[in-house]
Structure formats: C-alpha cells, structure tokens
Amino acid sequence: MSNFQVNLSGKNAIVTGAGDGVGKAIALALASAGANIFAVDLNVDRAEAVAKTIRDTYEGLNAIGHRADISNKFQVGPLIEIMRDELGAIDIVVNAAGAENDETLLNLDAWDWQRMLEVNLTGAFYMTQMTGRVMADEDGGVIVNIASTHGHPQPRPNSAAYVASKAGVIAMSKEAARELAPQGIRINAVCPANIDGDNRILADLARIPQGRYGTPEEVAQVVLFLCSDAASYITGQAIHVDGGESML
C-alpha cells in the first residue's frame, strides 16, 4: 500500500496510545511525513521503542517516548509541558489511547463502566482541552480523536460502556471543533472498525462490503490526511474507516 504523500516537516505531534496498534501506525505515518513525534503510552517501553524506530529510520527527526495515563489530568498537564520543552510548539495531537471491556449491561461492574469513560472519553477531553488552550494561544493546530463506528452508528453487543464512551468522543469532538474553529484549530474524529489486530470483535466478512478486514496503517493514512493541508477545510467530522460496514 502506497502512502498518502504529505509534508509535515517542522511540525510536532503528540500521539497517545502510540505503543501499539493504530496508535503506533499513526505515529509512524506522521513521522514518515516529517513530523517530530512525542509518543505517549501507559507502557513506556513500547513508547520508547516506537520513538527509537522513528529516530533510527528518519535522520534529523526527533522522537521521544513518554509514559502517562491520559485519564489523569495531573499527568496530562506535565506531559504537555515536557513535550513543549523538548520539541516546541504543539501542531498536531492524535488521541489514540483507549480501553475496551465486553460485558452485558446487567452484569457490567460500575468500576469497569467508569474506567471506560475515564480512558476513552475523559482522557480525550483532557488532551483536547489542554492542548487546545496551547494551540489557541499560538497559531492553531489539528486534533484528531480516535473513536469507533460502535459509538455511531453501530453499537457493539455486550459493550455498553465502550459504546457510550466512543459516542461521547464523537459528540465532544464535534462541539470542540465548533468552539475552537475561530482559533484556527481543526478537530475531527476517526471511527475505525474491523481493523485486524486492533479490535477484539470483528464483523463477519459477509457484513463488510469490501470483503476484508482493514489494517492499522489504513486508519493512519486517514489521520495523516486530516493532519495535512489537504484537509484544511474539514473540521467537526466523524470519518468511518470500516470497509463500508456502517452503511448497511
């Protein structure tokens, strides 16, 4: 698969959940376009491994691995300050960190419900709000929140907490885009499903018009487009990357 050609030279990007799966693919795609990467993950070894791969592959790029739990606002603030000290301006933020839990509504534990909301929705809120404040004081920027088609339009069986959190990410992203557009900040949501290796529940291939599962790299290419000048007139959107399943 050929990469979408984008030039992000001189740009600095924060990618959460960058240690594996879609988050890792996004970090690598942004780096391939010339962006310096601040890779954030709960697993610092994975974050640092991604950063090292970027430094070893792309001469002249700066990439840093950092451990943080984005559901904790007292960790989000410091990670932003460390990133600014190390790289400078915040041009791009991609919130790919997430958690999953599959349980029937009647058996869902309150702790699991709260944890899904904290990681998937509250974490995206903290990152959007705090980096948005920085971008608003500078020259604007781009924020992409990774949601899911299971947030809309296709709820996932036995996943009330996950579905609710991802629906919230979509709604929050749209309202944040409306509020921050005057400050030159574009905000969109990308909604993957049926991504091989990154989803525990995949649709039957018969339900996917394209007849195959997607890859994390295909999600990353959509994010790359949204972070580029080619998407300069796109904000407040939720773009599905699911092989066409959600149109059925």
Side-chain angles (χ1 to χ4, degrees):
M1 181 184 68
S2 61
N3 286 337
F4 176 66
Q5 297 301 307
V6 172
N7 184 0
L8 297 177
S9 298
K11 301 293 187 180
N12 301 318
I14 300 175
V15 181
T16 71
D20 195 18
V22 166
K24 177 180 178 179
I26 291 168
L28 295 176
L30 293 174
S32 74
N36 298 308
I37 304 296
F38 194 76
V40 180
D41 200 274
L42 265 177
N43 186 320
V44 70
D45 292 334
R46 295 195 309 191
E48 290 178 346
V50 170
K52 184 177 186 302
T53 296
I54 292 170
R55 292 193 303 269
D56 291 346
T57 305
Y58 303 105
E59 184 177 356
L61 285 191
N62 196 350
I64 299 167
H66 181 80
R67 185 199 180 280
D69 179 355
I70 64 165
S71 71
N72 184 338
K73 68 179 180 180
F74 298 109
Q75 295 186 32
V76 173
L79 86 81
I80 293 171
E81 292 306 312
I82 292 170
M83 185 274 192
R84 296 183 74 194
D85 288 343
E86 295 288 341
L87 299 180
I90 301 174
D91 302 297
I92 296 167
V93 175
V94 182
N95 294 310
E100 294 190 52
N101 176 269
D102 302 316
E103 183 56 86
T104 62
L105 180 67
L106 297 183
N107 291 326
L108 181 62
D109 184 81
W111 187 93
D112 290 327
W113 165 268
Q114 192 64 38
R115 185 59 180 164
M116 288 299 100
L117 294 179
E118 287 175 351
V119 175
N120 295 342
L121 178 55
T122 303
F125 161 71
Y126 287 147
M127 288 295 300
T128 299
Q129 181 188 62
M130 294 187 192
T131 61
R133 288 169 176 165
V134 175
M135 291 176 175
D137 288 338
E138 296 179 347
D139 298 321
V142 178
I143 299 173
V144 179
N145 293 317
I146 304 302
S148 171
T149 61
H150 299 303
H152 181 81
Q154 293 183 313
R156 193 170 78 181
N158 301 325
S159 303
Y162 180 78
V163 168
S165 67
K166 292 300 186 178
V169 170
I170 294 170
M172 186 271 293
S173 298
K174 291 183 175 183
E175 176 56 19
R178 186 191 69 80
E179 293 185 22
L180 298 182
Q183 282 75 46
I185 302 170
R186 294 191 296 107
I187 303 174
N188 291 287
V190 170
C191 304
N194 304 316
I195 304 303
D196 199 12
D198 206 65
N199 291 76
R200 288 185 294 167
I201 296 181
L202 298 170
D204 189 294
L205 284 176
R207 288 189 50 81
I208 303 174
Q210 286 192 279
R212 66 176 179 86
Y213 299 127
T215 68
E217 290 72 24
E218 288 176 306
V219 180
Q221 291 300 300
V222 176
V223 174
L224 186 60
F225 165 68
L226 290 173
C227 293
S228 75
D229 289 340
S232 58
Y233 202 51
I234 299 176
T235 196
Q237 303 304 304
I239 299 176
H240 297 167
V241 185
D242 67 347
E245 183 196 9
S246 58
M247 69 182 173
L248 298 179

